[in-house]
Amino acid sequence: MILPLQYNGRAVGELRLTEQNGDTVFVATFGRLPRGIYRIIACGERGELLLGVVEGEEKSLRRRFSAAIAGGVGKISAARAESCGESPQAWREVGEKDFPSLPRLPESALLRSIGRRRYLALPWRGEDPFPMPELFCFARIASVNGKNCAVFAFDEGGTPIFPQEN
C-alpha cells in the first residue's frame, strides 16, 4: 500500500507499507521537506504510530514493526510529518467555534494545539462526575495550569485520539 506523506496539508513524499514475515515494513520517502527535524507518523483507525525522527535533508526512513505493534493502531490510512521544532501553544479558553461537534463545554475548558492535534482540558476533581463520559477511554488525567484536568486529544478532523504527553 502506498499513501501520501503530508506536511502542513501538502504532499511531501509517500509512505509505502509492505508485509514481510508477519511484520509490517514502513518506508517513507520524501524530498520536499524544509530544513529541520521531523517526526514521521503513520495514522491508523485506532491511533497513531511514531515511525521515527528525521532531518529535512534526509530522503527516506525505513522501519519494521511486529504485527502486535503495527496492528495496535488499526488499518493505516494516512501519514504525516510533524516539525519537532513547533512549540506548543499556551493553553487558552475554548471559543464557541473550537469544538462545534461537542456538547456545550464549561467556561473553564481550555484548549491548545501542538502540530495538527488539538487538546481539550476539562477541570475535574475525583469526586465530581467525569466530564464527557462518552470519551472516557480517550482521557488522560493531568495537571493543566495547576488544576487537575481530564485531557482529550483530537486530530485535525475533530476525531478523538489517544492523547500523548503534552
Side-chain angles (χ1 to χ4, degrees):
M1 172 189 322
I2 299 174
L3 299 168
L5 178 68
Q6 301 281 320
Y7 174 67
N8 284 341
R10 65 181 179 90
V12 294
E14 67 181 27
L15 177 66
R16 184 179 303 264
L17 289 78
T18 57
E19 192 170 318
Q20 194 172 66
N21 297 327
D23 294 342
T24 303
V25 177
F26 298 85
V27 178
T29 55
F30 31 85
R32 297 181 294 276
L33 280 174
R35 289 181 56 90
I37 300 174
Y38 298 88
R39 288 180 212 75
I40 306 300
I41 300 165
C43 307
E45 60 193 356
R46 292 189 304 269
E48 298 179 341
L49 180 61
L50 176 62
L51 301 178
V53 177
V54 299
E55 292 188 39
E57 295 83 22
E58 295 178 46
K59 300 297 180 205
S60 67
L61 172 75
R62 184 180 193 281
R63 293 291 185 264
R64 182 178 181 151
F65 290 98
S66 69
I69 293 173
V73 299
K75 183 177 186 214
I76 305 292
S77 59
R80 74 173 184 276
E82 284 184 357
S83 173
C84 293
E86 292 179 37
S87 299
Q89 293 178 346
W91 288 99
R92 66 169 177 84
E93 292 182 7
V94 173
E96 286 182 26
K97 297 179 181 177
D98 287 324
F99 292 98
S101 63
L102 296 179
R104 184 170 168 83
L105 297 169
E107 290 183 24
S108 56
L110 298 173
L111 164 74
R112 85 169 175 182
S113 297
I114 302 175
R116 300 182 91 176
R117 289 190 190 103
R118 294 185 311 149
Y119 292 87
L120 172 64
L122 301 175
W124 178 64
R125 296 180 314 168
E127 62 270 10
D128 294 339
F130 194 79
M132 296 199 319
E134 64 278 11
L135 297 178
F136 175 82
C137 64
F138 290 99
R140 182 173 61 84
I141 306 303
S143 177
V144 175
N145 293 348
K147 294 182 181 175
N148 197 45
C149 292
V151 179
F152 302 89
F154 298 86
D155 66 14
E156 61 271 9
T159 301
I161 59 175
F162 292 104
Q164 298 173 344
E165 295 299 317
N166 57 14

